[in-house]
Amino acid sequence: MSRRSVISEAVAPWTEVARLLRGGEAGTLVPVIIPRHRRRLWWLLPLWFGVFSLLTGVMLSAGDAEGLSGDVSDALAGLAYTLGVVSLLAGGLWWWRSSIVEIEQGTNGVLTRYGAVVRTLDPGRHYLWHPWSRVDFVVDTATEIPYSAPVMACPTQENVPLRSIEFFLKFRIIDAVMFVRTIGAGNFDLVLSSAVQDAIRQRARRVRTERAYDLRGSDVADMQELLNRQLSRYGVRITGSNIPEVQLPAQYQQHLATRERVAKERAAYDQEWGLTRKRRIDSLQMDIERAKKVRDARIVEVKAALNKAREEVAQLLEEQETNAQRVRFEIETRGRSGLIAAENEARAQRRLAQAYRDNRAVLQYELARRRLEVGAALAGSAPRPVVVRTDGAEGGDTSALSTLLTAQLLPRLAALPAAPEVRGAHPAPRTADREDGER
């Protein structure tokens, strides 16, 4: 089993910051470096000396009134001015060089002034012009720091102590100021170790002993969420975790080895039986397929016979229907021909009757006309009677004289020839009356 990781902070000069943050020190993890500052206030001495030299030069320039030689006074004043300017330049250069701070990539510097945290410095070069401003901490905020924590004697659900459970996680500092002000690297190591042990023991308590090896590579998302809730107030976030190794007690390992051997033998027997079973199943399936093919062939034969019988029946039905239709057509033809013959005969009889009726009317008309002609001829040659009324009717003449006159005139009237209008006038009305009566 790998030993437990140790998290600590180190005090080092600026030249060692990158090496310690990336590789640690003596097997420890160093996420926080306290820089060893060489920044002192010695740069004030040349500044004060320069100011004193300038003041001395001013005083020497004004010393002509006290009886000093002009050449000596000017030489001393020039020397004082030169020393003052050089001292001021050296002090300013020293101040500028001591104010430069370089923060490594992937880290943040915690800037303090008079011991109070002012802000964090991003990676790069910064200038701290204030004399009492300094970087107290350099915190690695980009690297995922691996942490291994083996937990010894974890009891299972049956209260069997496991030899050890190794828990591996990765964390990253997301808030440098909160981390260094709240807990620090050394205290965080103790808090993280206790939190991991508590989470592992809770997980082991829910597992049976024979299932202890199932913890290897199991899902630990709930443990990671629990650790994130506990460590979020320190500015730290767990980015990944797993259980790479679980070790059982020696006696229980032997027991599990026996069980594993039995399980392997059982698996081999199950595999052999599975192969035998598969072979039998394959043979049965082949028989089933063969039987299905035979059944399908017989079904095809039955369907062919059925189709043939249906065709024969359909052919017989078609022949019967053809014969029935032929007989029906013959009957209909004979009926239509008989009906047409009867209609023609009836039409001929009707026309014959019409002809007879027309001939009878013509004959009757001719007969009537001839009767009229005969009657007219007889009427023309018949004597005309003369009626003399002597019955004493009203308005009649009954005297003897009229009677005598009538007797003398009658022979004369009888001797007169017949009038031409009598022959043509009388037959026409009688013929018309006779035709009307016949009609």
Side-chain angles (χ1 to χ4, degrees):
M1 296 292 293
S2 61
R3 63 185 182 87
R4 186 179 71 86
S5 301
V6 179
I7 302 174
S8 65
E9 57 189 14
V11 180
W14 283 99
T15 56
E16 298 292 329
V17 169
R19 183 183 66 83
L20 292 175
L21 288 176
R22 298 297 180 264
E25 183 180 16
T28 61
L29 303 175
V30 183
V32 179
I33 300 295
I34 301 175
R36 185 183 293 116
H37 292 278
R38 293 183 178 178
R39 188 181 185 190
R40 299 290 184 270
L41 298 179
W42 296 111
W43 53 271
L44 291 175
L45 293 178
L47 290 179
W48 286 112
F49 181 75
V51 172
F52 178 74
S53 298
L54 291 176
L55 291 176
T56 301
V58 172
M59 292 175 65
L60 289 174
S61 297
D64 295 338
E66 297 179 359
L68 294 176
S69 172
D71 295 334
V72 174
S73 176
D74 291 339
L76 292 175
L79 180 60
Y81 282 133
T82 302
L83 291 175
V85 171
V86 171
S87 298
L88 288 177
L89 290 176
L93 182 61
W94 194 354
W95 182 21
W96 170 78
R97 185 66 186 85
S98 63
S99 64
I100 296 176
V101 174
E102 294 181 353
I103 306 299
E104 292 289 334
Q105 182 66 32
T107 62
N108 289 108
V110 180
L111 180 65
T112 61
R113 184 176 299 167
Y114 301 110
V117 176
V118 178
R119 60 187 178 90
T120 59
L121 299 179
D122 296 330
R125 174 175 287 188
H126 302 273
Y127 295 93
L128 306 180
W129 301 110
H130 197 279
W132 284 270
S133 296
R134 63 178 59 191
V135 178
D136 284 344
F137 303 96
V138 177
V139 184
D140 189 356
T141 57
T143 306
E144 291 184 349
I145 303 171
Y147 183 83
S148 178
V151 183
M152 306 298 179
C154 293
T156 60
Q157 188 175 357
E158 294 87 356
N159 205 22
V160 175
L162 301 178
R163 187 176 178 181
S164 64
I165 299 177
E166 184 179 358
F167 187 74
F168 177 80
L169 59 87
K170 296 181 295 182
F171 69 91
R172 187 166 66 88
I173 301 173
I174 58 177
D175 193 336
V177 176
M178 184 182 295
F179 183 78
V180 299
R181 291 183 60 185
T182 305
I183 189 168
N187 295 331
F188 179 73
D189 179 62
L190 297 176
V191 171
L192 181 60
S193 177
S194 62
V196 168
Q197 289 191 10
D198 185 31
I200 288 293
R201 293 182 186 278
Q202 290 181 7
R203 172 60 67 88
R205 273 295 185 183
R206 298 197 299 267
V207 177
R208 299 181 64 86
T209 307
E210 62 270 12
R211 304 298 297 274
Y213 279 130
D214 294 342
L215 291 175
R216 292 181 298 186
S218 61
D219 186 12
V220 292
D222 54 343
M223 298 174 61
Q224 181 176 338
E225 185 179 357
L226 176 62
L227 292 175
N228 278 324
R229 286 199 302 268
Q230 293 177 357
L231 302 177
S232 60
R233 58 178 177 270
Y234 304 129
V236 178
R237 183 167 62 89
I238 307 297
T239 59
S241 59
N242 65 344
I243 300 176
E245 184 60 35
V246 176
Q247 288 190 359
L248 300 177
Q251 183 178 2
Y252 203 82
Q253 284 183 356
Q254 294 178 358
H255 176 64
L256 287 181
T258 305
R259 291 187 58 183
E260 288 181 359
R261 180 173 55 81
V262 174
K264 289 180 180 179
E265 292 178 356
R266 180 182 177 183
Y269 177 76
D270 290 341
Q271 186 176 4
E272 183 180 0
W273 167 246
L275 294 175
T276 305
R277 182 170 175 268
K278 184 178 180 181
R279 187 165 54 250
R280 293 180 180 177
I281 291 174
D282 292 339
S283 62
L284 290 176
Q285 287 182 351
M286 291 178 62
D287 295 338
I288 292 172
E289 291 296 332
R290 192 179 300 110
K292 285 183 178 179
K293 290 181 179 179
V294 174
R295 184 196 62 184
D296 294 339
R298 292 182 178 177
I299 289 174
V300 170
E301 292 178 358
V302 171
K303 287 183 177 179
L306 182 61
N307 293 331
K308 185 176 180 181
R310 287 178 178 174
E311 290 178 358
E312 293 178 356
V313 172
Q315 186 176 1
L316 291 175
L317 290 176
E318 188 175 359
E319 291 177 358
Q320 295 294 330
E321 288 180 357
T322 304
N323 295 329
Q325 190 173 5
R326 186 176 63 255
V327 173
R328 185 182 63 189
F329 286 162
E330 292 177 356
I331 295 173
E332 289 180 355
T333 303
R334 288 197 299 269
R336 285 196 184 94
S337 60
L339 179 62
I340 292 172
E343 289 179 353
N344 293 332
E345 186 177 359
R347 192 177 296 110
Q349 294 293 333
R350 185 170 60 251
R351 290 179 180 178
L352 183 60
Q354 185 71 25
Y356 287 163
R357 186 179 61 184
D358 294 340
N359 293 332
R360 183 180 178 184
V362 171
L363 293 175
Q364 289 179 357
Y365 173 75
E366 291 292 334
L367 181 60
R369 189 172 62 81
R370 290 180 180 181
R371 287 178 181 175
L372 289 176
E373 290 178 356
V374 171
L378 294 176
S381 61
R384 294 181 180 179
V386 177
V387 178
V388 178
R389 298 184 65 178
T390 60
D391 50 0
E394 183 179 358
D397 191 4
T398 59
S399 62
L401 180 61
S402 60
T403 302
L404 181 61
L405 290 176
T406 301
Q408 292 177 359
L409 289 175
L410 283 175
R412 295 179 182 179
L413 291 174
L416 290 175
E421 67 272 6
V422 174
R423 188 177 181 178
H426 293 284
R430 289 181 182 179
T431 304
D433 295 337
R434 183 67 58 86
E435 288 179 356
D436 290 337
E438 291 296 332
R439 290 177 182 179

